Amino acid sequence: MQIYKEGKAAINYSDGTFLNPKMSLLRDISVLFLKSLNAKGASLLDSTAATGIRGIRYGLEAGIERITFIDINKDACMKIRSNIKRNRIKAKVMDQSIQEFAASETGPFDIIDLDPFGSPVPHVHDLLKISNSETMMMVTATDTAVLCGAHYSACIKIYAARPMHNELCKESGIRILLGFIAREAAQFNFGIDVRLSISDLHYMRVFVTLKRGAAQAVDSIKHLGFLASCRACHGFETYGGMVPEVVKRCPNCGAARELAGPMWLGGLHDRELLTKMLHEKGPYDDAKRYIESIRNEPEDMFFYSIPALTRSMGIGSVSPKIVVERLREKGFEASLTQFEKEAVKTSAPLPDVARAVRILKK
Ligand SMILES: C[S@@+](CC[C@H](N)C(=O)[O-])C[C@H]1O[C@@H](n2cnc3c(N)ncnc32)[C@H](O)[C@@H]1O
Ligand SMILES: [Zn+2]
């Protein structure tokens, strides 16, 4: 028997039950998130539980008392039962698929964790059946190659969206995922409030609150749109709406632009909640560092990859950190971004970023 310790949990994970220690940061962030919501009295469904590590940590560390675990795999459910006993958690465990569970159970759950292999798409519709207004959905996607455009047709097939396969791919990928959730939720007359969006390693994770109402659903859909990006000069532009009048040639350099979407063009985080997360007590230093860095990002959509920009300008590399400082001196908001190494997210338009880069080179 192998015991893995993470947070306050001790988890038996032998005999091939899935457990990825590399996801510990993401689990820490989820625990911190639930702690900051003060969600003790909430009902929680760990819908792809594997060893049960998430639900168990939410119980032990965020104080959630009403937890249901499900997993399609019977061996996983045996592990969950032994792990909840080991960690003294009282919970319901059902060896059922999400689809069977949602057909027989009425819910609704206040919090739903979905952390499947690959894409969450086959499961979101069923989980919406056991949701209510204010349900918090925490959704992981590990099919980032699809969302980032390495498998173009797969993204069209699974997400009904055209991906962007360049330096903007991670932000456009997470926005395609959110766009998909917004469209699915709208079918049930739910709007979505995006509270937190994380892109790290090979996974993306989004935290959204559902808001019941036809008007809320329509309002969410109004946040959908497209991204036009130029490979020649690295300028980009977003267009709201499902059939926007997109200028196909780049207004900056005249090259043909690529289009991606539909995707979510609304906000990616609830800044007040991020601040609350930073004030939570406990041994979550790495998670807090991550949250602090995304709280410092400007709310502007997309960013400039400095190596891509300097290459297109035919000049040598400059430090993105110094570009950030220079743009701030000029009165713009600017920071590095979780979506791409050596990139700058800023309120400055492309000509100002290019000017800052050129001056630094001189
Ligand atoms: C990536 S693992 C979950 C990892 C876990 N949440 C953690 O943090 O370690 C995905 C789990 O989903 C289960 N699963 C796959 N399809 C499912 C379905 N349709 N309904 C419920 N569980 C499913 C698998 O058996 C597997 O245990
Ligand atoms: Zn251009």
Side-chain angles (χ1 to χ4, degrees):
M1 193 198 302
Q2 295 175 65
I3 300 294
Y4 169 72
K5 291 196 173 167
E6 186 182 289
K8 289 191 176 163
I11 302 292
N12 168 6
Y13 71 105
S14 48
D15 303 337
T17 315
F18 181 91
L19 197 154
N20 184 357
K22 285 194 183 142
M23 300 287 263
S24 64
L25 174 69
L26 203 57
R27 284 187 287 265
D28 283 353
I29 290 176
S30 305
V31 168
L32 205 54
F33 181 86
L34 291 183
K35 275 169 81 76
S36 73
L37 286 182
N38 227 337
K40 280 189 181 143
S43 56
L44 182 143
L45 176 67
D46 186 347
S47 74
T48 38
T51 58
I53 186 167
R54 281 177 186 273
I56 289 172
R57 288 197 60 191
Y58 301 153
L60 293 175
E61 294 167 62
I64 312 272
E65 284 162 4
R66 292 187 288 146
I67 308 177
T68 303
F69 295 88
I70 59 174
D71 200 290
I72 196 171
N73 182 314
K74 288 206 175 353
D75 291 340
C77 287
M78 275 166 58
K79 280 279 152 24
I80 300 166
R81 288 192 183 96
S82 101
N83 280 326
I84 61 174
K85 210 163 155 199
R86 174 182 302 278
N87 289 279
R88 296 173 204 279
I89 291 275
K90 279 209 183 98
K92 205 161 135 186
V93 183
M94 313 277 281
D95 25 8
Q96 278 185 319
S97 69
I98 289 170
Q99 292 68 21
E100 289 164 328
F101 182 77
S104 58
E105 190 81 14
T106 47
F109 289 90
D110 301 316
I111 303 164
I112 297 180
D113 193 301
L114 172 60
D115 181 43
F117 294 128
S119 174
V121 164
H123 310 300
V124 171
H125 186 89
D126 287 286
L127 292 175
L128 285 163
K129 294 179 190 164
I130 46 172
S131 297
N132 208 346
S133 203
E134 303 301 327
T135 292
M136 174 64 63
M137 291 192 120
M138 310 193 284
V139 178
T140 312
T142 55
D143 58 337
T144 43
V146 172
L147 285 161
C148 290
H151 309 294
Y152 180 86
S153 319
C155 194
I156 307 270
K157 179 184 72 163
I158 298 169
Y159 291 93
R162 200 169 153 165
M164 183 63 77
H165 192 35
N166 63 13
E167 72 272 11
L168 303 180
C169 71
K170 286 195 179 151
E171 185 168 340
S172 67
I174 214 163
R175 290 181 180 280
I176 285 172
L177 171 63
L178 284 166
F180 168 80
I181 295 173
R183 294 199 312 270
E184 287 288 293
Q187 295 172 31
F188 290 81
N189 268 338
F190 288 126
I192 63 165
D193 252 8
V194 181
R195 315 297 295 279
L196 175 60
S197 311
I198 305 281
S199 163
D200 190 34
L201 305 175
H202 67 292
Y203 52 74
M204 292 174 183
R205 177 130 158 121
V206 292
F207 300 68
V208 306
T209 308
L210 301 176
K211 297 281 170 190
R212 171 79 76 189
Q216 282 77 357
V218 170
D219 187 59
S220 255
I221 295 303
K222 284 187 184 154
H223 285 88
L224 299 183
F226 291 80
L227 163 69
S229 151
C230 174
R231 262 182 214 272
C233 73
H234 301 282
F236 55 81
E237 198 175 355
T238 55
Y239 290 87
M242 291 303 274
V243 196
E245 298 253 327
V246 177
V247 179
K248 297 233 170 85
R249 295 260 155 213
C250 172
N252 188 44
C253 74
R257 297 199 292 186
E258 283 170 54
L259 208 59
M263 64 175 73
W264 176 256
L265 296 183
L268 295 180
H269 315 290
D270 169 346
R271 261 148 226 286
E272 239 175 73
L273 196 63
L274 299 189
T275 306
K276 272 194 188 164
M277 288 171 77
L278 293 177
H279 289 132
E280 284 302 329
K281 294 203 171 64
Y284 306 106
D285 290 352
D286 289 349
K288 284 187 186 174
R289 249 191 301 281
Y290 199 100
I291 295 299
E292 171 113 60
S293 75
I294 59 178
R295 192 183 61 154
N296 291 338
E297 291 191 23
E299 292 192 32
D300 300 82
M301 280 185 268
F302 297 98
F303 48 83
Y304 298 97
S305 155
I306 300 303
L309 198 58
T310 49
R311 255 195 316 277
S312 75
M313 291 164 72
I315 59 177
S317 62
V318 295
S319 152
K321 278 193 186 151
I322 299 176
V323 176
V324 166
E325 281 168 26
R326 177 85 204 164
L327 289 168
R328 285 185 182 162
E329 280 162 22
K330 290 277 164 201
F332 294 109
E333 282 190 66
S335 78
L336 302 181
T337 171
Q338 64 166 333
F339 293 115
E340 177 73 8
K341 268 191 193 151
E342 301 196 61
V344 173
K345 206 178 231 301
T346 176
S347 56
L350 175 60
D352 289 273
V353 181
R355 200 170 302 126
V357 166
R358 211 173 279 118
I359 287 169
L360 285 174
K361 207 59 213 167
K362 274 184 192 159

